[in-house]
mmCIF file of all heavy atoms in Angstrom:
data_model
loop_
_atom_site.group_PDB
_atom_site.id
_atom_site.type_symbol
_atom_site.label_atom_id
_atom_site.label_comp_id
_atom_site.label_asym_id
_atom_site.label_seq_id
_atom_site.Cartn_x
_atom_site.Cartn_y
_atom_site.Cartn_z
ATOM 1 N N LEU A 29 -22.560 8.719 -10.227
ATOM 2 C CA LEU A 29 -22.837 9.222 -8.888
ATOM 3 C C LEU A 29 -21.660 8.964 -7.958
ATOM 4 O O LEU A 29 -21.263 9.832 -7.175
ATOM 5 C CB LEU A 29 -24.101 8.559 -8.350
ATOM 6 C CG LEU A 29 -24.531 8.901 -6.922
ATOM 7 C CD1 LEU A 29 -24.777 10.398 -6.769
ATOM 8 C CD2 LEU A 29 -25.787 8.120 -6.552
ATOM 9 N N LEU A 30 -21.079 7.772 -8.040
ATOM 10 C CA LEU A 30 -19.934 7.434 -7.188
ATOM 11 C C LEU A 30 -18.727 8.311 -7.508
ATOM 12 O O LEU A 30 -17.992 8.718 -6.607
ATOM 13 C CB LEU A 30 -19.575 5.963 -7.368
ATOM 14 C CG LEU A 30 -20.537 4.933 -6.767
ATOM 15 C CD1 LEU A 30 -20.198 3.537 -7.259
ATOM 16 C CD2 LEU A 30 -20.499 4.973 -5.245
ATOM 17 N N ARG A 31 -18.522 8.595 -8.784
ATOM 18 C CA ARG A 31 -17.338 9.361 -9.183
ATOM 19 C C ARG A 31 -17.491 10.854 -8.925
ATOM 20 O O ARG A 31 -16.551 11.522 -8.515
ATOM 21 C CB ARG A 31 -17.042 9.139 -10.671
ATOM 22 C CG ARG A 31 -16.614 7.744 -11.056
ATOM 23 C CD ARG A 31 -16.117 7.721 -12.492
ATOM 24 N NE ARG A 31 -15.758 6.368 -12.905
ATOM 25 C CZ ARG A 31 -16.494 5.606 -13.708
ATOM 26 N NH1 ARG A 31 -17.639 6.076 -14.197
ATOM 27 N NH2 ARG A 31 -16.101 4.396 -14.044
ATOM 28 N N GLU A 32 -18.697 11.384 -9.190
ATOM 29 C CA GLU A 32 -18.859 12.834 -9.225
ATOM 30 C C GLU A 32 -19.739 13.386 -8.116
ATOM 31 O O GLU A 32 -19.779 14.613 -7.924
ATOM 32 C CB GLU A 32 -19.453 13.244 -10.583
ATOM 33 C CG GLU A 32 -18.629 12.787 -11.775
ATOM 34 C CD GLU A 32 -19.317 13.119 -13.093
ATOM 35 O OE1 GLU A 32 -20.244 13.958 -13.098
ATOM 36 O OE2 GLU A 32 -18.915 12.527 -14.125
ATOM 37 N N GLY A 33 -20.462 12.541 -7.397
ATOM 38 C CA GLY A 33 -21.404 13.032 -6.409
ATOM 39 C C GLY A 33 -20.730 13.733 -5.234
ATOM 40 O O GLY A 33 -19.618 13.389 -4.840
ATOM 41 N N ALA A 34 -21.431 14.739 -4.691
ATOM 42 C CA ALA A 34 -20.958 15.383 -3.464
ATOM 43 C C ALA A 34 -21.008 14.366 -2.339
ATOM 44 O O ALA A 34 -22.018 13.698 -2.141
ATOM 45 C CB ALA A 34 -21.842 16.582 -3.138
ATOM 46 N N LEU A 35 -19.900 14.231 -1.605
ATOM 47 C CA LEU A 35 -19.755 13.176 -0.612
ATOM 48 C C LEU A 35 -19.808 13.770 0.786
ATOM 49 O O LEU A 35 -18.947 14.573 1.150
ATOM 50 C CB LEU A 35 -18.448 12.424 -0.856
ATOM 51 C CG LEU A 35 -18.255 11.067 -0.186
ATOM 52 C CD1 LEU A 35 -17.247 10.231 -0.999
ATOM 53 C CD2 LEU A 35 -17.752 11.218 1.229
ATOM 54 N N GLU A 36 -20.804 13.376 1.561
ATOM 55 C CA GLU A 36 -20.991 13.878 2.924
ATOM 56 C C GLU A 36 -20.860 12.715 3.913
ATOM 57 O O GLU A 36 -21.624 11.754 3.851
ATOM 58 C CB GLU A 36 -22.380 14.513 3.057
ATOM 59 C CG GLU A 36 -22.693 15.029 4.458
ATOM 60 C CD GLU A 36 -24.120 15.540 4.565
ATOM 61 O OE1 GLU A 36 -24.796 15.653 3.534
ATOM 62 O OE2 GLU A 36 -24.561 15.803 5.705
ATOM 63 N N LEU A 37 -19.910 12.802 4.800
ATOM 64 C CA LEU A 37 -19.664 11.717 5.744
ATOM 65 C C LEU A 37 -20.786 11.596 6.767
ATOM 66 O O LEU A 37 -21.284 12.589 7.276
ATOM 67 C CB LEU A 37 -18.337 11.935 6.466
ATOM 68 C CG LEU A 37 -17.081 11.997 5.594
ATOM 69 C CD1 LEU A 37 -15.846 12.200 6.462
ATOM 70 C CD2 LEU A 37 -16.938 10.717 4.759
ATOM 71 N N GLU A 38 -21.164 10.344 7.070
ATOM 72 C CA GLU A 38 -22.171 10.059 8.096
ATOM 73 C C GLU A 38 -21.544 9.507 9.367
ATOM 74 O O GLU A 38 -21.957 9.823 10.465
ATOM 75 C CB GLU A 38 -23.174 9.024 7.572
ATOM 76 C CG GLU A 38 -24.237 9.569 6.676
ATOM 77 C CD GLU A 38 -25.346 8.552 6.487
ATOM 78 O OE1 GLU A 38 -25.053 7.381 6.201
ATOM 79 O OE2 GLU A 38 -26.512 8.929 6.641
ATOM 80 N N GLY A 39 -20.556 8.625 9.232
ATOM 81 C CA GLY A 39 -19.940 8.017 10.410
ATOM 82 C C GLY A 39 -18.946 6.958 10.000
ATOM 83 O O GLY A 39 -18.760 6.655 8.819
ATOM 84 N N ARG A 40 -18.303 6.391 11.012
ATOM 85 C CA ARG A 40 -17.261 5.391 10.783
ATOM 86 C C ARG A 40 -17.756 4.014 11.172
ATOM 87 O O ARG A 40 -18.474 3.848 12.165
ATOM 88 C CB ARG A 40 -16.011 5.742 11.594
ATOM 89 C CG ARG A 40 -14.855 4.754 11.411
ATOM 90 C CD ARG A 40 -13.591 5.240 12.095
ATOM 91 N NE ARG A 40 -12.500 4.287 11.919
ATOM 92 C CZ ARG A 40 -11.243 4.512 12.288
ATOM 93 N NH1 ARG A 40 -10.933 5.670 12.874
ATOM 94 N NH2 ARG A 40 -10.307 3.603 12.102
ATOM 95 N N LEU A 41 -17.371 3.008 10.371
ATOM 96 C CA LEU A 41 -17.651 1.612 10.704
ATOM 97 C C LEU A 41 -16.520 1.138 11.606
ATOM 98 O O LEU A 41 -15.406 0.851 11.146
ATOM 99 C CB LEU A 41 -17.742 0.762 9.433
ATOM 100 C CG LEU A 41 -18.752 1.248 8.386
ATOM 101 C CD1 LEU A 41 -18.820 0.275 7.213
ATOM 102 C CD2 LEU A 41 -20.127 1.423 8.996
ATOM 103 N N VAL A 42 -16.782 1.068 12.896
ATOM 104 C CA VAL A 42 -15.717 0.906 13.884
ATOM 105 C C VAL A 42 -15.124 -0.492 13.894
ATOM 106 O O VAL A 42 -14.027 -0.697 14.421
ATOM 107 C CB VAL A 42 -16.225 1.268 15.298
ATOM 108 C CG1 VAL A 42 -16.588 2.736 15.350
ATOM 109 C CG2 VAL A 42 -17.421 0.405 15.694
ATOM 110 N N ASP A 43 -15.803 -1.480 13.349
ATOM 111 C CA ASP A 43 -15.279 -2.843 13.369
ATOM 112 C C ASP A 43 -14.218 -3.078 12.302
ATOM 113 O O ASP A 43 -13.533 -4.099 12.326
ATOM 114 C CB ASP A 43 -16.418 -3.861 13.175
ATOM 115 C CG ASP A 43 -17.362 -3.889 14.375
ATOM 116 O OD1 ASP A 43 -16.915 -3.490 15.471
ATOM 117 O OD2 ASP A 43 -18.516 -4.302 14.212
ATOM 118 N N ALA A 44 -14.080 -2.182 11.357
ATOM 119 C CA ALA A 44 -13.137 -2.359 10.256
ATOM 120 C C ALA A 44 -11.706 -2.089 10.732
ATOM 121 O O ALA A 44 -11.468 -1.204 11.554
ATOM 122 C CB ALA A 44 -13.488 -1.435 9.102
ATOM 123 N N SER A 45 -10.749 -2.849 10.194
ATOM 124 C CA SER A 45 -9.345 -2.677 10.587
ATOM 125 C C SER A 45 -8.741 -1.417 9.972
ATOM 126 O O SER A 45 -7.844 -0.806 10.550
ATOM 127 C CB SER A 45 -8.535 -3.909 10.175
ATOM 128 O OG SER A 45 -8.665 -4.160 8.790
ATOM 129 N N ASN A 46 -9.206 -1.022 8.799
ATOM 130 C CA ASN A 46 -8.772 0.227 8.175
ATOM 131 C C ASN A 46 -9.893 1.258 8.285
ATOM 132 O O ASN A 46 -11.048 0.908 8.540
ATOM 133 C CB ASN A 46 -8.426 -0.009 6.699
ATOM 134 C CG ASN A 46 -7.263 -0.970 6.534
ATOM 135 O OD1 ASN A 46 -6.183 -0.746 7.070
ATOM 136 N ND2 ASN A 46 -7.487 -2.051 5.799
ATOM 137 N N THR A 47 -9.556 2.521 8.099
ATOM 138 C CA THR A 47 -10.568 3.563 8.183
ATOM 139 C C THR A 47 -11.635 3.325 7.118
ATOM 140 O O THR A 47 -11.358 3.348 5.915
ATOM 141 C CB THR A 47 -9.943 4.950 7.984
ATOM 142 O OG1 THR A 47 -8.959 5.164 9.008
ATOM 143 C CG2 THR A 47 -10.993 6.036 8.070
ATOM 144 N N THR A 48 -12.859 3.076 7.572
ATOM 145 C CA THR A 48 -13.978 2.785 6.681
ATOM 146 C C THR A 48 -15.146 3.666 7.094
ATOM 147 O O THR A 48 -15.616 3.592 8.226
ATOM 148 C CB THR A 48 -14.377 1.300 6.772
ATOM 149 O OG1 THR A 48 -13.230 0.481 6.452
ATOM 150 C CG2 THR A 48 -15.508 0.971 5.814
ATOM 151 N N LEU A 49 -15.589 4.499 6.178
ATOM 152 C CA LEU A 49 -16.586 5.525 6.492
ATOM 153 C C LEU A 49 -17.835 5.346 5.636
ATOM 154 O O LEU A 49 -17.743 5.016 4.452
ATOM 155 C CB LEU A 49 -15.999 6.907 6.246
ATOM 156 C CG LEU A 49 -14.691 7.209 7.003
ATOM 157 C CD1 LEU A 49 -13.989 8.404 6.388
ATOM 158 C CD2 LEU A 49 -14.975 7.461 8.471
ATOM 159 N N ARG A 50 -18.981 5.546 6.247
ATOM 160 C CA ARG A 50 -20.215 5.568 5.473
ATOM 161 C C ARG A 50 -20.532 7.012 5.134
ATOM 162 O O ARG A 50 -20.345 7.910 5.968
ATOM 163 C CB ARG A 50 -21.366 4.940 6.246
ATOM 164 C CG ARG A 50 -22.607 4.718 5.373
ATOM 165 C CD ARG A 50 -23.641 3.889 6.058
ATOM 166 N NE ARG A 50 -24.302 4.615 7.134
ATOM 167 C CZ ARG A 50 -25.291 4.112 7.867
ATOM 168 N NH1 ARG A 50 -25.697 2.874 7.655
ATOM 169 N NH2 ARG A 50 -25.844 4.826 8.825
ATOM 170 N N ALA A 51 -20.970 7.215 3.913
ATOM 171 C CA ALA A 51 -21.216 8.580 3.441
ATOM 172 C C ALA A 51 -22.451 8.620 2.559
ATOM 173 O O ALA A 51 -22.966 7.588 2.128
ATOM 174 C CB ALA A 51 -19.992 9.095 2.683
ATOM 175 N N VAL A 52 -22.912 9.826 2.299
ATOM 176 C CA VAL A 52 -24.047 10.080 1.415
ATOM 177 C C VAL A 52 -23.531 10.766 0.162
ATOM 178 O O VAL A 52 -22.761 11.722 0.234
ATOM 179 C CB VAL A 52 -25.100 10.965 2.108
ATOM 180 C CG1 VAL A 52 -26.236 11.296 1.141
ATOM 181 C CG2 VAL A 52 -25.645 10.283 3.347
ATOM 182 N N LEU A 53 -23.955 10.271 -0.993
ATOM 183 C CA LEU A 53 -23.617 10.868 -2.274
ATOM 184 C C LEU A 53 -24.852 11.560 -2.844
ATOM 185 O O LEU A 53 -25.955 11.015 -2.788
ATOM 186 C CB LEU A 53 -23.150 9.797 -3.259
ATOM 187 C CG LEU A 53 -21.808 9.126 -2.980
ATOM 188 C CD1 LEU A 53 -21.690 7.858 -3.815
ATOM 189 C CD2 LEU A 53 -20.659 10.074 -3.278
ATOM 190 N N THR A 54 -24.656 12.745 -3.421
ATOM 191 C CA THR A 54 -25.757 13.485 -4.030
ATOM 192 C C THR A 54 -25.289 14.077 -5.351
ATOM 193 O O THR A 54 -24.223 14.684 -5.428
ATOM 194 C CB THR A 54 -26.244 14.620 -3.111
ATOM 195 O OG1 THR A 54 -26.558 14.084 -1.824
ATOM 196 C CG2 THR A 54 -27.486 15.287 -3.686
ATOM 197 N N LEU A 55 -26.103 13.861 -6.396
ATOM 198 C CA LEU A 55 -25.760 14.396 -7.712
ATOM 199 C C LEU A 55 -27.011 14.451 -8.582
ATOM 200 O O LEU A 55 -27.649 13.422 -8.822
ATOM 201 C CB LEU A 55 -24.689 13.524 -8.390
ATOM 202 C CG LEU A 55 -24.261 13.956 -9.792
ATOM 203 C CD1 LEU A 55 -23.461 15.263 -9.728
ATOM 204 C CD2 LEU A 55 -23.435 12.862 -10.464
ATOM 205 N N ASP A 56 -27.362 15.645 -9.051
ATOM 206 C CA ASP A 56 -28.465 15.815 -10.015
ATOM 207 C C ASP A 56 -29.739 15.087 -9.582
ATOM 208 O O ASP A 56 -30.378 14.391 -10.375
ATOM 209 C CB ASP A 56 -28.037 15.306 -11.393
ATOM 210 C CG ASP A 56 -26.897 16.122 -11.984
ATOM 211 O OD1 ASP A 56 -26.695 17.275 -11.534
ATOM 212 O OD2 ASP A 56 -26.208 15.609 -12.877
ATOM 213 N N GLY A 57 -30.108 15.223 -8.322
ATOM 214 C CA GLY A 57 -31.334 14.617 -7.831
ATOM 215 C C GLY A 57 -31.203 13.164 -7.420
ATOM 216 O O GLY A 57 -32.148 12.576 -6.886
ATOM 217 N N MET A 58 -30.042 12.548 -7.664
ATOM 218 C CA MET A 58 -29.801 11.176 -7.241
ATOM 219 C C MET A 58 -29.113 11.186 -5.883
ATOM 220 O O MET A 58 -28.252 12.039 -5.620
ATOM 221 C CB MET A 58 -28.913 10.426 -8.238
ATOM 222 C CG MET A 58 -29.515 10.230 -9.612
ATOM 223 S SD MET A 58 -28.423 9.236 -10.671
ATOM 224 C CE MET A 58 -26.986 10.298 -10.809
ATOM 225 N N THR A 59 -29.468 10.261 -5.026
ATOM 226 C CA THR A 59 -28.802 10.116 -3.739
ATOM 227 C C THR A 59 -28.589 8.645 -3.456
ATOM 228 O O THR A 59 -29.380 7.789 -3.863
ATOM 229 C CB THR A 59 -29.633 10.733 -2.596
ATOM 230 O OG1 THR A 59 -30.961 10.186 -2.634
ATOM 231 C CG2 THR A 59 -29.705 12.238 -2.726
ATOM 232 N N ALA A 60 -27.520 8.343 -2.773
ATOM 233 C CA ALA A 60 -27.232 6.970 -2.381
ATOM 234 C C ALA A 60 -26.204 7.000 -1.265
ATOM 235 O O ALA A 60 -25.442 7.969 -1.118
ATOM 236 C CB ALA A 60 -26.705 6.151 -3.556
ATOM 237 N N ARG A 61 -26.191 5.956 -0.491
ATOM 238 C CA ARG A 61 -25.133 5.780 0.493
ATOM 239 C C ARG A 61 -23.962 5.045 -0.157
ATOM 240 O O ARG A 61 -24.120 4.301 -1.123
ATOM 241 C CB ARG A 61 -25.643 4.979 1.685
ATOM 242 C CG ARG A 61 -26.298 5.819 2.768
ATOM 243 C CD ARG A 61 -26.868 4.949 3.853
ATOM 244 N NE ARG A 61 -27.151 5.716 5.058
ATOM 245 C CZ ARG A 61 -27.933 5.269 6.035
ATOM 246 N NH1 ARG A 61 -28.503 4.084 5.951
ATOM 247 N NH2 ARG A 61 -28.142 6.007 7.113
ATOM 248 N N CYS A 62 -22.788 5.244 0.427
ATOM 249 C CA CYS A 62 -21.598 4.567 -0.075
ATOM 250 C C CYS A 62 -20.658 4.260 1.084
ATOM 251 O O CYS A 62 -20.820 4.764 2.202
ATOM 252 C CB CYS A 62 -20.877 5.419 -1.120
ATOM 253 S SG CYS A 62 -20.121 6.912 -0.433
ATOM 254 N N VAL A 63 -19.680 3.428 0.808
ATOM 255 C CA VAL A 63 -18.584 3.144 1.739
ATOM 256 C C VAL A 63 -17.334 3.785 1.158
ATOM 257 O O VAL A 63 -16.918 3.466 0.039
ATOM 258 C CB VAL A 63 -18.376 1.629 1.908
ATOM 259 C CG1 VAL A 63 -17.171 1.363 2.818
ATOM 260 C CG2 VAL A 63 -19.623 0.979 2.487
ATOM 261 N N TYR A 64 -16.759 4.693 1.922
ATOM 262 C CA TYR A 64 -15.579 5.450 1.495
ATOM 263 C C TYR A 64 -14.395 5.008 2.341
ATOM 264 O O TYR A 64 -14.428 5.079 3.564
ATOM 265 C CB TYR A 64 -15.868 6.948 1.653
ATOM 266 C CG TYR A 64 -14.691 7.886 1.595
ATOM 267 C CD1 TYR A 64 -13.779 7.869 0.539
ATOM 268 C CD2 TYR A 64 -14.497 8.833 2.611
ATOM 269 C CE1 TYR A 64 -12.717 8.766 0.494
ATOM 270 C CE2 TYR A 64 -13.454 9.740 2.577
ATOM 271 C CZ TYR A 64 -12.557 9.698 1.510
ATOM 272 O OH TYR A 64 -11.509 10.584 1.476
ATOM 273 N N LYS A 65 -13.331 4.511 1.660
ATOM 274 C CA LYS A 65 -12.132 4.044 2.350
ATOM 275 C C LYS A 65 -10.945 4.869 1.877
ATOM 276 O O LYS A 65 -10.345 4.579 0.828
ATOM 277 C CB LYS A 65 -11.879 2.561 2.066
ATOM 278 C CG LYS A 65 -12.977 1.631 2.576
ATOM 279 C CD LYS A 65 -12.629 0.172 2.299
ATOM 280 C CE LYS A 65 -13.688 -0.771 2.832
ATOM 281 N NZ LYS A 65 -13.346 -2.196 2.580
#
Side-chain angles (χ1 to χ4, degrees):
L29 177 59
L30 288 169
R31 293 190 183 105
E32 303 175 17
L35 196 155
E36 178 185 351
L37 300 181
E38 280 193 312
R40 180 173 180 173
L41 305 184
V42 295
D43 292 337
S45 56
N46 297 304
T47 300
T48 303
L49 304 163
R50 190 170 72 178
V52 176
L53 291 165
T54 306
L55 179 70
D56 296 340
M58 296 184 296
T59 53
R61 273 176 164 164
C62 68
V63 177
Y64 165 53
K65 297 182 178 181

